[in-house]
Amino acid sequence: MLDAMLGYEYFHRLPPKTTGREVFSGAWLRQWMHAFPQVGGCDLVATVTELTAISIARGYTLIPNDIRDAITHVVVSGGGARNPVLMDRLQVCLCPYVFLCQCGGLCVCVCVC
């Protein structure tokens, strides 16, 4: 399921790009659930969490080298910043960047990998 989801065309678009619920909606997820009925519950949540981490990390590879080489910090905000599994996976996938977790406007952790 994860490999199929990573093949979704959005993940191959060049930056700049943005998205939200208009693309990654409940209907989008239900299509995947229908295509992979054996994946459910905790496995489904884990798959979507890993999809999020991998797709963000892969997005960095699409940034031109001269710009990407200048990146020293990654700041995460919003609800995902409160997901410890996602934050752990982002730290692994985005290493060697200094990683800042931003929750509610306050920096709550700084991790150097």
Side-chain angles (χ1 to χ4, degrees):
M1 180 183 219
L2 179 59
D3 288 338
M5 289 174 133
L6 286 167
Y8 186 64
E9 60 85 21
Y10 174 82
F11 299 122
H12 302 281
R13 291 184 199 165
L14 294 176
K17 61 184 179 178
T18 186
T19 191
R21 292 183 179 133
E22 72 282 355
V23 174
F24 297 100
S25 63
W28 183 85
L29 184 58
R30 282 189 295 278
Q31 290 176 346
W32 292 107
M33 292 169 66
H34 180 72
F36 295 89
Q38 70 277 18
V39 180
C42 292
D43 289 336
L44 180 62
V45 173
T47 299
V48 172
T49 301
E50 188 68 5
L51 171 69
T52 303
I54 290 173
S55 65
I56 290 169
R58 284 186 179 177
Y60 279 80
T61 68
L62 300 175
I63 298 171
N65 288 341
D66 58 328
I67 296 171
R68 187 176 63 237
D69 291 346
I71 297 172
T72 59
H73 295 77
V74 175
V75 178
V76 179
S77 63
R82 294 183 198 91
N83 180 330
V85 175
L86 177 59
M87 297 306 292
D88 288 346
R89 293 302 301 142
L90 284 172
Q91 185 176 354
V92 169
C93 292
L94 291 173
C95 206
Y97 300 110
V98 175
F99 197 81
L100 302 175
C101 168
Q102 182 131 358
C103 298
L106 301 174
C107 184
V108 294
C109 66
V110 178
C111 308
V112 180
C113 40

